[in-house]
């Protein structure tokens, strides 16, 4: 049998590890429950998107070699911006599909037109602003900048983001997504960028959690009357 002094040390270590890890275990459990009970499409805000969006068609477009772009063309994408056709060439410049004129950036009014086509009808816009930088915890982190931010009226605190460079509708964010993002941060324990699932802190807490569970099994084994009776019979 394990000596009483050794058993006390194991019990003490188990108790303090439990206190130290308890809050994080609680956050893992709460966030896990939240993830398992939520629809990821709803978290993405798909129910705020226009499900009947019409794809625009254009006639009389310039041929690529006549679009007034001097560099060799490696990629080209046709975009609709406020009812007008534009070529997004080489992922760096907008060229009007009929006139060949280049466009440095889109205006707030054009961004509103892009967002209006992408978002569900009936949403009321309350503000439009341009952002040029974001922090590691910003809801638009890691996406193209600068961007237009369109905010909408309502308890859901909806915001849509449109790239200033090419008029691309990048994403939308709202209340439930922000809760998901916060809980994801506590689940992965990436308190710097929120997106790294291989942090040193997470690995350390996982190992400590394993030690805590194993110490609990050891305590059960050395203190269980059933185990003691079995040993005495042998």
């Amino acid at each position: 049998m394990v000596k009483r002094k050794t058993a006390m040390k194991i019990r003490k270590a188990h108790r303090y590890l439990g206190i130290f890890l308890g809050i994080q275990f609680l956050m893992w459990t709460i966030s896990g429950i939240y993830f398992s009970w939520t629809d990821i499409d709803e978290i993405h805000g798909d129910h705020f998107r226009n499900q009947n969006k019409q794809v625009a068609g254009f006639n009389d477009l310039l041929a690529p070699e006549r679009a007034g772009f001097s560099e060799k063309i490696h990629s080209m994408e046709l975009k609709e911006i406020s009812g007008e056709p534009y070529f997004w060439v080489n992922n760096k410049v907008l060229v009007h599909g009929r006139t060949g004129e280049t466009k440095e950036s889109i205006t707030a009014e054009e961004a509103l037109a892009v967002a209006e086509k992408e978002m569900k009808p009936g949403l009321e816009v309350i503000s439009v602003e341009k952002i040029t930088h974001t922090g590691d915890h910003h809801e638009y982190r890691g996406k193209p900048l600068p961007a237009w931010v369109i905010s909408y009226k309502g308890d859901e605190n909806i915001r849509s983001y449109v790239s200033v460079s090419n008029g691309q509708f990048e994403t939308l964010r709202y209340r439930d997504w922000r809760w998901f993002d916060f809980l994801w941060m506590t689940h992965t324990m990436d308190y710097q960028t929120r997106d790294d699932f291989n942090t040193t802190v997470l690995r350390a807490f996982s190992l400590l959690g394993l030690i805590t569970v194993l110490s609990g099994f050891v305590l059960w084994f050395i203190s269980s009357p059933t185990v003691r009776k079995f040993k005495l019979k042998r």
Side-chain angles (χ1 to χ4, degrees), residues 5 11 54 64 70 91 102 109 135 138 165 177 191 199 211:
K5 188 175 182 180
R11 186 171 283 106
Q54 300 297 316
S70 58
N91 293 318
T102 59
E109 289 74 17
H138 195 280
S165 301
W177 184 95
Y191 299 109
T199 62
I211 292 171

Side-chain angles (χ1 to χ4, degrees), residues 204-224:
F205 267 74
S206 298
L207 287 173
L208 288 172
L210 179 61
I211 292 171
T212 302
V213 172
L214 291 176
S215 66
F217 286 143
V218 171
L219 283 174
W220 173 83
F221 183 80
I222 64 178
S223 61
S224 171

Side-chain angles (χ1 to χ4, degrees), residues 21-86:
L21 299 173
I23 295 176
Q24 183 56 45
F25 281 179
L26 182 63
M27 293 308 301
W28 278 340
T29 303
I30 292 172
S31 58
I33 291 172
Y34 183 81
F35 299 152
S36 65
W37 280 78
T38 53
D39 181 348
I40 193 62
D41 291 330
E42 185 174 325
I43 294 300
H44 288 159
D46 290 355
H47 53 299
F48 293 119
R49 299 291 295 269
N50 184 359
Q51 303 301 322
N52 299 310
K53 181 180 67 172
Q54 300 297 316
V55 178
F58 297 100
N59 297 318
D60 304 323
L61 298 179
L62 292 175
E65 62 271 15
R66 296 179 55 201
F69 192 67
S70 58
E71 298 181 20
K72 289 184 178 180
I73 297 175
H74 304 291
S75 65
M76 178 179 287
E77 181 183 356
L78 178 63
K79 292 180 173 293
E80 178 198 0
I81 301 175
S82 193
E84 293 294 317
Y86 284 89

Side-chain angles (χ1 to χ4, degrees), residues 40-230:
I40 193 62
D41 291 330
E42 185 174 325
I43 294 300
H44 288 159
D46 290 355
H47 53 299
F48 293 119
R49 299 291 295 269
N50 184 359
Q51 303 301 322
N52 299 310
K53 181 180 67 172
Q54 300 297 316
V55 178
F58 297 100
N59 297 318
D60 304 323
L61 298 179
L62 292 175
E65 62 271 15
R66 296 179 55 201
F69 192 67
S70 58
E71 298 181 20
K72 289 184 178 180
I73 297 175
H74 304 291
S75 65
M76 178 179 287
E77 181 183 356
L78 178 63
K79 292 180 173 293
E80 178 198 0
I81 301 175
S82 193
E84 293 294 317
Y86 284 89
F87 295 123
W88 177 234
V89 184
N90 292 351
N91 293 318
K92 66 178 182 180
V93 64
L94 279 175
V95 179
H96 197 283
R98 291 196 179 103
T99 66
E101 296 180 359
T102 59
K103 185 177 183 64
E104 294 297 324
S105 60
I106 69 166
T107 65
E109 289 74 17
E110 289 169 330
L112 274 171
V114 170
E116 182 179 1
K117 187 170 184 177
E118 294 287 339
M119 299 294 285
K120 182 177 69 174
L123 294 175
E124 181 181 344
V125 175
I126 56 175
S127 69
V128 182
E129 61 177 324
K130 183 192 288 187
I131 57 172
T132 56
H133 66 278
T134 58
D136 290 338
H137 295 275
H138 195 280
E139 64 185 22
Y140 187 71
R141 62 187 179 275
K143 293 187 177 296
L145 289 168
W148 290 106
V149 188
I150 299 99
S151 300
Y152 301 88
K153 185 177 182 180
D155 296 336
E156 294 92 350
N157 195 15
I158 308 167
R159 296 191 191 101
S160 62
Y161 292 84
V162 178
S163 170
V164 170
S165 301
N166 65 358
Q168 177 69 32
F169 184 91
E170 293 294 338
T171 192
L172 71 89
R173 297 290 184 249
Y174 77 112
R175 180 191 56 206
D176 289 359
W177 184 95
R178 297 180 188 105
W179 274 111
F180 187 98
D181 189 46
F182 173 78
L183 290 172
W184 180 252
M185 176 186 69
T186 65
H187 200 78
T188 62
M189 300 189 73
D190 178 13
Y191 299 109
Q192 298 298 318
T193 63
R194 300 194 179 196
D195 299 313
D196 187 2
F197 202 76
N198 297 300
T199 62
T200 302
V201 177
L202 177 61
R203 290 171 176 171
F205 267 74
S206 298
L207 287 173
L208 288 172
L210 179 61
I211 292 171
T212 302
V213 172
L214 291 176
S215 66
F217 286 143
V218 171
L219 283 174
W220 173 83
F221 183 80
I222 64 178
S223 61
S224 171
T226 303
V227 174
R228 284 201 295 268
K229 289 177 182 179
F230 178 76

